[in-house]
Amino acid sequence: MPSSPPLDVCILWHMHQPLYEDAASRVPAMPWVRLHALKDYYDMVALVREHPGVQVTFNLVPVLLDQIEEAARGSRPDRWLEMARKRPEDLAEGERLFLLESFFAVNRERVFPILPRLEELHRKARSGSGSPPWTPTDWRDLQVSFHLAWCGLTLRSTSLVRKLFAKGRFFTEQEKHALLDLQKDLLRMIIPAYRSALESGQVELSTSPYYHPILPLLCDVASAREASPRVPLPAATPRMTEDARDQLLSGIDSFTRRFGAPPAGVWLAEGALSEETLDLLEQAGVMWTATDEDLLHGSRRPDPSDPQQSGPLLLPYRVGQRKISVFFRDRILSDLIGFTYASWNSAAAAEDFVERLRAIAAKRPAGARGAVAVILDGENAWEAYPDNGAGFLDALYGTLERAEGLRAATFLRRLQEDPAWGRLERLQAGSWIHGDLLTWVGHPEKNRAWELLSRAREVFIEAGSPAGALRWLRAAQGSDWFWWYGDDHSSSFDATFDQLFRALLRQVHVECDREPPQELSVPIKRHPGRRRIVEPTAPIRPTVDGRVTDYFEWLGAGTTPAEPASAALAAGGGGIRSLHYGANEEALAFRVDPQQIPFWETVPAASLVVTVISPHRSGVIIPLPSRQGEHLQAEEPVPEGIEVACGRILEAQVPLGTLGLAPGQQVEFTVSLLDRTGHSIATFPPEGALELHVPVPGRAADDWSA
């Protein structure tokens, strides 16, 4: 019997940052393009080149490439770089405060063990006025250590950076400037490295609309109701189809100028697609695009013979009579890399990934090749990995190179060598976040941002569409601004994101020779930098089965969103969405929602820890189940009386007696998720404590309050 053809594994790393330039000063207001360039962008393509038997696709957003080039020129350095180059003796009081607020923006759990001096300075900063005064040596060590933390594999392999890591402290001004100069040299190498990889044939490059806008919402904000029929929409938001077309075509033009030919593929921001956006892509001559599997499941009729809906993922699709091919990413495989494997041994994680691919390959129809699309951010996930993910990626590429029956191929190669495709009659509008568009519209803050954007666009049109205003209007249409509004995402930089968005709109008015309205001086974000806690309102008695059994079981619970591990990792969500908590007369109950379901596949948690602070100190560590063959099983026994279940969500219930509590008590506590090594994945709340009142038997629910 002839052997089956290899299964194509199509990996896409999406590289993106918004425009961080302050519209008024023309200076970068945030450092993330430069820092991710030092840590991720060059290393990601360099690691692929070390494995010639592997092909991957990189998606490069034009506004990101613009900012990399600007950082390489160094003509307008960000404030972080300016503060790093300044002599400690010359720092003003406000500049020192800036360093204390900004130069610990790292993944502390990964960085502090390899840079103990940075941890020491962090403890000193948190200790307040009672600690010894900061010396010039302290400030210089902070300047250097922060930039060492953002050195990726390539920089860490240089003799200078190895020497500075080994030295650890007491850095000199000469060493500091040598490090910053070396980092600037790396910035100049990034875009040529991608061009060389493209020319070699090992790498495919795709692009996105210029400023990374949510194209379905630009075309028609009402498209959000295809997946979420009752979502509140912003008032008087016009269709912006021509804006969407311009964003797409200018992105393709930018790519063509840089790399010599137009891209075959376009990844729309956030994998957000709709029928109208497919028309724009087809008209632009794009061969392929991609999104999340949830859009496929929401768009096709269920197949009773395939209850898990796994088979259809092995084909790209054409929608209606269009010729453009749409790939649907395997969410579990993608999220394992994004959220789970960071806490695993690299070799074990790579082998687990390949074993899952082999299982998929074994279920293919006879003679079919098939393709699995694995798509995720190419920078955010690595902060949670040891060595910034270099060990995992090396193991993954090496395992794929050696694996029989698998072929790591680009999306274009898959289309050129295997013409098989499926057919969809229609495509439901949505994104790679829960298959809907609610991350960018529907919340009052998000809707307010759309309304202000629409008004600025009206001014732009009334003024005759001046060229000087176009850049700022298009930048304000980027997806990131709407991501940070609302209660679902937050970081310590909320106020800066809010200010940048409103500054873009103000500049549109200025370039149109109009006075910016006063409303653009009012923050949109109501609680910047704070996570909103909703306290419990009634006793809860959930069924602990790893899913929301019915609408009412968690209705009276308190909620608090997850706090990202670091500002730069925030867009990745850390794998955790929120905690629900409450009590009944016999137990405390907890529910953790992941960013992507199911919980047990996408969150690298090994235990749930409940710590009571008041009325006395007590606590419990609850081992969490993991996959053991066909079943979920905890590696350690669960303490007697405790219920825990991992499925779509995590649910747990702890008897009051286990924590030494009694009905009627007011309780203060925290909840943490730990990985296998005991490191914290998430703590609720990040500061302070949660509170609830334990119900008393026989008391009416209406009389109970938090």
Side-chain angles (χ1 to χ4, degrees):
M1 176 180 290
S3 60
S4 298
L7 173 69
D8 282 333
V9 184
C10 301
I11 299 174
L12 183 147
W13 303 116
H14 173 51
M15 308 298 202
H16 160 63
Q17 297 290 328
L19 181 66
Y20 290 115
E21 181 179 336
D22 182 87
S25 67
R26 303 297 201 272
V27 172
M30 301 184 82
W32 308 124
V33 167
R34 178 175 61 87
L35 296 179
H36 276 297
L38 302 174
K39 190 174 71 67
D40 301 306
Y41 299 136
Y42 183 86
D43 287 354
M44 286 295 289
V45 70
L47 280 164
V48 174
R49 299 305 298 275
E50 294 178 5
H51 296 273
V54 168
Q55 294 184 347
V56 303
T57 301
F58 288 98
N59 188 77
L60 304 176
V61 179
V63 68
L64 169 65
L65 298 181
D66 289 349
Q67 292 176 97
I68 291 174
E69 291 175 339
E70 182 64 41
R73 286 192 292 270
S75 55
R76 292 182 293 178
D78 58 67
R79 192 181 182 196
W80 274 254
L81 184 58
E82 290 179 336
M83 292 301 99
R85 287 200 176 273
K86 201 161 188 177
R87 292 175 67 250
E89 295 83 355
D90 298 334
L91 290 168
E93 187 62 31
E95 293 170 335
R96 292 178 177 180
L97 179 61
F98 176 84
L99 291 180
L100 293 177
E101 292 176 343
S102 305
F103 274 43
F104 297 108
V106 299
N107 187 300
R108 295 167 190 169
E109 292 175 4
R110 291 298 183 191
V111 169
F112 283 176
I114 62 173
L115 287 170
R117 175 60 165 154
L118 191 59
E119 181 178 20
E120 175 186 323
L121 293 170
H122 182 252
R123 287 198 304 268
K124 185 170 183 175
R126 289 174 64 92
S127 64
S129 59
S131 63
W134 283 59
T135 67
T137 297
D138 290 334
W139 293 113
R140 187 178 299 108
D141 283 357
L142 178 60
Q143 293 169 319
V144 174
S145 296
F146 174 72
H147 281 86
L148 285 176
W150 283 90
C151 285
L153 178 67
T154 300
L155 285 170
R156 291 187 190 185
S157 66
T158 63
S159 59
L160 173 63
V161 175
R162 288 201 308 268
K163 172 188 172 184
L164 295 179
F165 264 98
K167 185 176 183 181
R169 61 179 61 224
F170 304 137
F171 303 114
T172 67
E173 279 291 301
Q174 182 180 9
E175 289 170 333
K176 180 180 74 174
H177 287 284
L179 171 63
L180 299 176
D181 291 343
L182 178 67
Q183 291 180 336
K184 184 176 179 181
D185 291 340
L186 182 74
L187 296 175
R188 300 189 184 102
M189 299 164 55
I190 293 171
I191 294 177
Y194 281 94
R195 187 180 298 114
S196 174
L198 174 65
E199 292 169 352
S200 75
Q202 187 183 359
V203 161
E204 178 182 2
L205 300 182
S206 60
T207 195
S208 295
Y210 206 103
Y211 288 99
H212 204 255
I214 296 290
L215 243 59
L217 295 177
L218 275 187
C219 291
D220 184 2
V221 73
S223 64
R225 286 187 168 160
E226 293 184 29
S228 309
R230 297 183 180 180
V231 59
L233 296 179
T237 301
R239 294 175 64 91
M240 306 183 201
T241 304
E242 288 309 309
D243 301 58
R245 189 191 315 276
D246 180 68
Q247 291 262 18
L248 173 62
L249 295 180
S250 60
I252 292 173
D253 288 345
S254 171
F255 181 96
T256 304
R257 289 194 302 273
R258 282 190 171 99
F259 299 108
V266 169
W267 167 262
L268 295 187
E270 317 294 356
L273 286 178
S274 65
E275 296 242 335
E276 192 166 2
T277 60
L278 284 178
D279 290 336
L280 294 178
L281 291 168
E282 180 117 317
Q283 294 161 13
V286 177
M287 293 179 61
W288 66 264
T289 188
T291 185
D292 187 74
E293 64 175 85
D294 273 350
L295 272 70
L296 174 61
H297 303 327
S299 301
R300 67 189 298 270
R301 295 188 180 93
D303 182 356
S305 66
D306 184 19
Q308 293 185 338
Q309 300 292 292
S310 56
L313 283 179
L314 297 181
L315 289 172
Y317 280 75
R318 295 183 180 179
V319 182
Q321 300 304 310
R322 301 175 184 89
K323 295 181 179 179
I324 184 173
S325 295
V326 182
F327 289 85
F328 294 92
R329 75 168 188 150
D330 187 300
R331 184 179 63 250
I332 287 180
L333 287 176
S334 302
D335 287 349
L336 281 169
I337 297 176
F339 302 126
T340 300
Y341 286 149
S343 62
W344 288 37
N345 170 272
S346 294
E351 189 58 38
D352 179 79
F353 188 83
V354 168
E355 282 300 315
R356 290 170 183 268
L357 289 170
R358 290 193 180 107
I360 293 171
K363 296 178 182 178
R364 290 175 297 172
R369 177 186 293 278
V372 175
V374 177
I375 305 172
L376 65 152
D377 284 345
E379 62 264 272
N380 289 316
W382 313 124
E383 291 183 42
Y385 278 74
D387 299 323
N388 199 44
F392 167 74
L393 288 170
D394 183 61
L396 175 64
Y397 294 150
T399 306
L400 284 173
E401 272 188 311
R402 298 185 297 271
E404 294 184 6
L406 302 177
R407 182 179 75 163
T410 65
F411 289 81
L412 179 59
R413 183 178 181 186
R414 162 63 178 79
L415 293 178
Q416 290 173 334
E417 298 184 5
D418 186 351
W421 46 271
R423 171 75 70 185
L424 283 176
E425 295 179 5
R426 56 176 289 275
L427 182 73
Q428 178 176 286
S431 74
W432 68 348
I433 307 295
H434 307 301
D436 57 39
L437 296 167
L438 299 187
T439 300
W440 300 276
V441 74
H443 186 281
E445 291 177 3
K446 300 176 191 290
N447 289 351
R448 176 65 172 164
W450 279 105
E451 290 162 2
L452 293 174
L453 171 64
S454 298
R455 292 171 194 170
R457 183 176 180 271
E458 289 175 3
V459 169
F460 172 74
I461 294 173
E462 291 169 359
S465 305
L470 181 62
R471 178 173 184 250
W472 310 112
L473 179 64
R474 294 290 184 260
Q477 293 171 341
S479 71
D480 296 80
W481 318 116
F482 305 94
W483 171 284
W484 291 111
Y485 289 126
D487 300 320
D488 44 357
H489 299 107
S490 184
S491 78
S492 58
F493 297 95
D494 282 352
T496 302
F497 277 104
D498 189 359
Q499 185 275 329
L500 285 174
F501 174 72
R502 290 181 290 111
L504 292 170
L505 298 183
R506 282 197 297 272
Q507 196 62 31
V508 172
H509 287 77
V510 170
E511 296 290 344
C512 291
D513 201 22
R514 302 288 195 277
E515 183 71 22
Q518 180 62 31
E519 61 186 358
L520 292 179
S521 299
V522 179
I524 300 171
K525 191 77 173 177
R526 291 175 297 181
H527 302 292
R530 288 172 45 204
R531 310 302 286 172
R532 190 162 63 94
I533 297 174
V534 177
E535 295 184 341
T537 58
I540 60 170
R541 297 174 179 83
T543 301
V544 180
D545 56 4
R547 61 191 181 94
V548 179
T549 307
D550 62 58
Y551 172 75
F552 296 99
E553 70 170 342
W554 289 94
L555 189 59
T559 61
T560 178
E563 182 75 22
S566 72
L569 187 60
I576 307 296
R577 188 174 185 84
S578 59
L579 170 76
H580 298 246
Y581 64 97
N584 54 57
E585 298 88 343
E586 299 176 347
L588 303 188
F590 309 97
R591 162 184 154 192
V592 182
D593 289 1
Q595 286 283 4
Q596 299 288 348
I597 58 175
F599 181 96
W600 61 268
E601 282 273 13
T602 59
V603 179
S607 59
L608 178 77
V609 180
V610 181
T611 304
V612 174
I613 301 170
S614 176
H616 55 257
R617 295 199 68 87
S618 64
V620 64
I621 300 175
I622 306 171
L624 299 182
S626 59
R627 175 67 84 177
Q628 302 288 338
E630 294 299 317
H631 305 283
L632 291 177
Q633 181 177 329
E635 296 181 2
E636 300 178 21
V638 176
E640 184 176 357
I642 292 176
E643 298 178 78
V644 61
C646 288
R648 295 172 66 86
I649 59 176
L650 166 65
E651 290 182 305
Q653 192 158 249
V654 182
L656 297 179
T658 301
L659 297 167
L661 301 176
Q665 289 182 321
Q666 188 74 17
V667 182
E668 297 182 15
F669 62 97
T670 63
V671 178
S672 298
L673 284 168
L674 306 182
D675 64 17
R676 293 180 179 182
T677 65
H679 289 113
S680 174
I681 297 172
T683 297
F684 304 92
E687 297 179 357
L690 301 171
E691 298 182 26
L692 60 74
H693 185 85
V694 180
V696 175
R699 179 175 295 177
D702 290 342
D703 295 333
W704 184 87
S705 62

